[in-house]
Amino acid sequence: MRDRLGRPPALLMVPAALAALLLLVPLVAMVASTSWADLPGHLTSEVALDALRLSLVTSTVAIVFCLLLGLPLAWLLARVDFRGRGALRALVTVPLVLPPVVAGIALRSAFGRTGLLGEPLLDWTGFAFPFTTYGVVLAHVFVSMPFVVIAIEGALRSADPRYDDAAATLGATRWTTFRRVTVPLALPGVVAGTVLGWARSLGEFGATITFNGNYPGTTQTMPTLIYVTRQADQDAALSLSLVMLVVSIGVLIALRDHWLGTP
């Protein structure tokens, strides 16, 4: 069938090639500009190791919360009919299009020391989220949750609901069906959403720095370290950026069946 359609027209191939180059050239240029001789020193510095360690820990903790909260939400959107479901789905996608700085301001308005929830929390417990590692996790959960929910909801929708019906006719409760039937059938999508959410969390910058500042050892993650390092040492910033690029490629490899599979 493809041969019958003839050769792809240049009016489509040229813009497609330019788009591919636009995405590829900056990444190649970054790798080419990296000072390989200085790379080990940049990556093994104490501040870089602290930022990398904090990024890995906060992203992992955040994705656990995203999965614990996002999986039930995705199931609700995919399997339960209720008034306002469309509005709830739209709400889930808002952080995807919200400017990161605005996300940080929204978090501060809700969980800051004088925020809607933050002020009573501070009064009752003496605890406040901003400028703490807990605040970093909270910011990561906020920006990563949509990736997890949308990916898992799509997987749940693609799973045949008749299996759920069959389990119900055999006497399984909805909770049992969820654990034994629904989630196992959608497991590849659950894994994909988890990995994507973790990668998004690892690369989070705007909401984190707006809500928590940039304090080494406490709130300074790899993206925020790259931001401040670039102002003083371009070579070190390139080396640190290379780490994030390698992680991104690793995510693509982990999801190769999802992104790189043949049609």
Side-chain angles (χ1 to χ4, degrees), residues 53-160:
R53 187 181 305 110
L54 182 64
S55 292
L56 293 174
V57 170
T58 53
S59 296
T60 302
V61 174
I63 203 59
V64 170
F65 280 103
C66 286
L67 190 59
L68 290 175
L69 301 176
L71 178 56
L73 178 55
W75 173 84
L76 182 69
L77 292 172
R79 286 289 194 267
V80 181
D81 292 324
F82 59 92
R83 181 177 299 178
R85 183 168 66 168
L88 180 58
R89 184 179 291 112
L91 178 64
V92 168
T93 63
V94 167
L96 290 176
V97 297
L98 198 65
V101 174
V102 177
I105 293 174
L107 287 170
R108 184 172 291 275
S109 299
F111 297 101
R113 291 178 176 270
T114 59
L116 180 65
L117 301 177
E119 186 171 11
L121 178 64
L122 180 62
D123 293 339
W124 295 339
T125 67
F127 171 79
F129 277 104
F131 309 111
T132 68
T133 303
Y134 299 102
V136 175
V137 172
L138 179 61
H140 286 192
V141 170
F142 182 80
V143 300
S144 302
M145 183 81 74
F147 290 85
V148 176
V149 173
I150 291 172
I152 295 178
E153 184 194 358
L156 291 173
R157 286 184 174 276
S158 64
D160 195 337

Side-chain angles (χ1 to χ4, degrees), residues 164-220:
D164 291 9
D165 297 336
T169 59
L170 294 174
T173 64
R174 207 154 193 180
W175 169 242
T176 301
T177 302
F178 172 79
R179 292 186 297 112
R180 299 292 184 87
V181 179
T182 307
V183 172
L185 286 175
L187 190 58
V190 173
V191 173
T194 301
V195 176
L196 285 174
W198 181 82
R200 176 63 183 88
S201 177
L202 192 69
E204 160 54 27
F205 168 74
T208 302
I209 199 170
T210 304
F211 185 50
N212 299 290
N214 185 32
Y215 297 98
T218 304
T219 66
Q220 187 176 75

